[in-house]
Amino acid sequence: MRSGRHLKAARALAGMTQRQLAHAAGLHPNAVKYWEREEGRIGGHAVSRMREALAAVGVTTGEEYVDGRSLAVLRG
């Protein structure tokens, strides 16, 4: 996952609130709030659980490289 903004966009694409995503990922809502505020690359167990919860509703996240640049990609 590229950043907190990427996570927030994925959650919005899924039509989920922070609380709904947290519940689906088995996390406290403050975890979603925390990670959405992060500026740099995010990762870890909590982010993996949120990524899985988003995938369960048909939203996938990833990266693609175009002209040597890494771009965040959302698919829903």
Side-chain angles (χ1 to χ4, degrees), residues 20-61:
Q20 289 168 329
L21 177 55
H23 178 74
L27 300 168
H28 192 279
N30 287 344
V32 178
K33 290 177 188 178
Y34 170 81
W35 286 110
E36 285 189 359
R37 286 192 309 260
E38 289 300 301
E39 294 290 326
R41 183 174 297 278
I42 61 174
H45 184 63
V47 174
S48 294
R49 291 173 70 171
M50 287 185 278
R51 182 180 281 148
E52 290 170 6
L54 290 165
V57 296
V59 175
T60 59
T61 64

